[in-house]
Amino acid sequence: MIPRYSRPEMVSIWSPETKFRIWFEIEAHACDAMADLGVIPRENAQAVWKAKDVEFDVARIDEIEAVTKHDVIAFLTHLAEHVGSDEARFVHQGMTSSDVLDTCFNVQLTRAADILIADTQALLAALKRRALEHKDTLRVGRSHGIHAEPTTMGLTFARFYAEMDRNLRRLKTAREEIATGAISGAVGTFANIDPRVEEHVCAQLGLTPEPISTQVIPRDRHAAFFAALGLVASSIENIATEVRHMQRTEVLEGAEFFSAGQKGSSAMPHKKNPVLTENLTGLARTVRMAVIPAMENVTLWHERDISHSSVERAIGPDTTITLDFALHRLTGVIDKMLIYPDNMLANMNKFSGLVMSQRVLLALTQAGVSREDSYKLVQRNAMKVWENGADFKTELLADAEVLAALSPAEIEEKFDMGYHTKHVDTIFARVFGD
């Protein structure tokens, strides 16, 4: 992923240096286990650890690979240059390349998941703080982009909190499912390596042994992992789209923070554009584009082919790095977001009283008017507001058929905003458990 959308901690997980360090640890721990089992001499296993502080030379490994055309063999050749050819002769005994590659990949995905989980927790904290801050800040709810009924800005933040809380659980499940390793040898039968070697290596790396592998770890695990990341990305876009809508000039109920010296347009100095949330929408698409290839990777020929390998070399780093950046950016947007309560009220009153139409409809039905007739009475007065800029309550108070069913006081009562916020505490208790 390009540096513009990258953060150092996540990037470091995918560096060649980190990869080769994990490869070394897999091989060294495997040698320890084989020495414990009496398969190889103890001194040879100990000799491998001479490289524990070595900074593996990426350029040298690439140079060897240019000849061998095999990345794991190139690494093992370079490792022997540090350890000594005779001392390293038992390294990789009974193992196959996928034992190293797949186990390493899952270590990297597990570490990436830990960062993404922490990112999501930080976003949840920001959403909760803003939800509590604006728990009672009235704004109009919209369906189809049209005014519906009153809600609160706090409920909007709470809704996004609940969605991201579900994503947190998905990420934790994805981490658990991907945290497996396999040191089972060619086609996964353990014919040339004891299963206890796998158990030892996995324990040292914080993984669980894969119950049954072929020559690779089953890719349904990876498909589930990237699907979870795709869901998180979709939720990021959901939140970002709401912020973008709120920042539209004709809405302006909320906006991204605009820092000192920031410029919105190269041509129009007056512009304040929602560039961060627009960027998040694009980044969400980048994350989601990994989901289908990850699912297609589930299907491999027999015990193994490498059709999945090139895909994972790209989507592993790109997807986790992008999502890490996006979660961090969204947290900043929420944390600093500007909220305009006065504009929210002004927007709600743009069509005076119209958002109370359902209350009047229900009151008429409760007063004995059929639902069909009640709907007609309310709608004909509502259309005067739409078409002529009339005041909805005034029109109702002037409608003889409405007054035949409801007294002026009863009509007046139907325009109490508090009616729509009476269960906010209940919803907040459900979401936050407080």
Side-chain angles (χ1 to χ4, degrees):
M1 179 49 59
I2 62 175
R4 186 181 184 92
Y5 305 129
S6 305
R7 299 206 303 150
E9 186 180 5
M10 186 67 87
V11 170
S12 69
I13 290 174
W14 300 103
S15 70
E17 292 82 3
T18 298
K19 179 183 72 173
F20 292 135
R21 173 56 46 187
I22 297 170
W23 286 13
F24 166 74
E25 291 174 2
I26 292 169
E27 297 285 4
H29 289 309
C31 286
D32 282 347
M34 286 187 277
D36 290 343
L37 294 169
V39 176
I40 68 172
R42 173 67 61 188
E43 55 267 26
N44 288 83
Q46 291 173 338
V48 176
W49 287 103
K50 289 192 295 184
K52 67 183 180 66
D53 296 320
V54 166
E55 291 187 14
F56 294 107
D57 188 337
V58 176
R60 173 60 181 151
I61 295 170
D62 289 343
E63 178 186 358
I64 299 169
E65 186 181 353
V67 176
T68 64
K69 306 295 193 258
H70 196 290
D71 54 355
V72 175
I73 292 175
F75 169 75
L76 294 173
T77 301
H78 181 53
L79 179 60
E81 292 175 342
H82 289 286
V83 175
S85 180
D86 184 62
E87 290 90 338
R89 72 182 189 274
F90 296 112
V91 173
H92 205 68
Q93 176 145 319
M95 295 168 62
T96 188
S97 297
S98 292
D99 290 337
V100 178
L101 296 170
D102 279 13
T103 301
C104 174
F105 189 45
N106 281 11
V107 168
Q108 290 171 302
L109 290 176
T110 301
R111 292 178 183 177
D114 287 337
I115 293 176
L116 296 174
I117 287 167
D119 291 341
T120 305
Q121 290 169 331
L123 175 57
L124 284 168
L127 287 167
K128 182 175 182 179
R129 182 179 68 79
R130 300 314 300 267
L132 293 171
E133 179 185 355
H134 291 285
K135 179 179 178 182
D136 300 312
T137 302
L138 283 167
R139 71 183 294 233
V140 68
R142 296 171 173 90
S143 56
H144 306 277
I146 307 301
H147 285 197
E149 292 194 348
T151 182
T152 77
M153 190 63 218
L155 288 176
T156 299
F157 282 125
R159 170 165 56 92
F160 292 141
Y161 177 96
E163 184 172 344
M164 275 298 170
D165 192 46
R166 292 190 293 273
N167 283 324
L168 178 62
R169 292 195 293 273
R170 290 172 183 132
L171 285 173
K172 289 179 177 179
T173 298
R175 185 203 184 281
E176 179 181 1
E177 188 165 2
I178 206 65
T180 68
I183 310 292
S184 53
V187 304
T189 61
F190 296 102
N192 296 300
I193 192 165
D194 194 295
R196 288 173 289 182
V197 175
E198 179 184 78
E199 293 171 5
H200 177 78
V201 172
C202 287
Q204 294 300 311
L205 296 174
L207 304 176
T208 300
E210 183 63 45
I212 178 170
S213 55
T214 53
Q215 197 158 315
V216 293
I217 291 173
R219 256 46 195 183
D220 62 289
R221 293 185 180 276
H222 302 76
F225 184 89
F226 288 104
L229 269 54
L231 281 167
V232 176
S234 292
S235 294
I236 288 172
E237 184 176 9
N238 188 26
I239 298 171
T241 300
E242 179 66 19
V243 176
R244 290 169 60 193
H245 166 74
M246 292 177 71
Q247 192 164 335
R248 289 168 55 208
T249 307
E250 60 270 32
V251 177
L252 202 56
E253 295 179 355
E256 296 175 9
F257 178 76
F258 201 78
S259 61
Q262 183 174 344
K263 294 176 171 57
S265 168
S266 63
M268 296 167 284
H270 71 277
K271 296 294 291 295
K272 284 186 174 184
N273 300 330
V275 292
L276 298 178
T277 45
E278 288 174 343
N279 170 253
L280 287 169
T281 296
L283 293 178
R285 295 169 185 168
T286 302
V287 173
R288 284 197 302 269
M289 75 180 185
V291 176
I292 295 301
M295 290 185 174
E296 290 173 339
N297 279 352
V298 173
T299 304
L300 300 175
W301 284 16
H302 307 300
E303 278 63 51
R304 180 228 187 183
D305 64 50
I306 62 166
S307 59
H308 63 288
S309 177
S310 56
V311 176
E312 290 171 350
R313 287 176 192 267
I315 68 174
D318 283 2
T319 305
T320 54
I321 290 170
T322 303
L323 190 58
D324 168 53
F325 180 88
L327 284 166
H328 180 72
R329 169 158 285 184
L330 181 57
T331 300
V333 168
I334 296 300
D335 214 34
K336 298 179 181 179
M337 185 176 169
L338 304 174
I339 304 297
Y340 302 113
D342 291 343
N343 289 355
M344 291 178 180
L345 286 176
N347 285 337
M348 186 150 49
N349 293 323
K350 185 174 181 180
F351 294 97
S352 184
L354 210 56
V355 293
M356 300 302 187
S357 70
Q358 184 179 191
R359 284 211 70 195
V360 180
L361 169 67
L362 296 177
L364 287 168
T365 61
Q366 290 163 358
V369 182
S370 73
R371 183 172 179 87
E372 292 76 13
D373 288 342
S374 296
Y375 198 101
K376 290 176 183 177
L377 288 174
V378 175
Q379 188 180 46
R380 78 184 183 195
N381 286 287
M383 290 305 105
K384 296 175 184 177
V385 182
W386 274 108
E387 296 163 6
N388 304 320
D391 179 85
F392 186 48
K393 182 168 62 174
T394 300
E395 294 301 318
L396 291 171
L397 290 169
D399 189 314
E401 289 187 74
V402 173
L403 288 172
L406 299 175
S407 70
E410 288 173 322
I411 294 172
E412 188 76 37
E413 188 271 332
K414 299 303 176 285
F415 288 80
D416 175 21
M417 283 288 181
Y419 175 86
H420 291 278
T421 60
K422 61 182 180 291
H423 293 304
V424 169
D425 285 341
T426 299
I427 299 170
F428 265 58
R430 289 180 173 184
V431 173
F432 301 112
D434 296 334

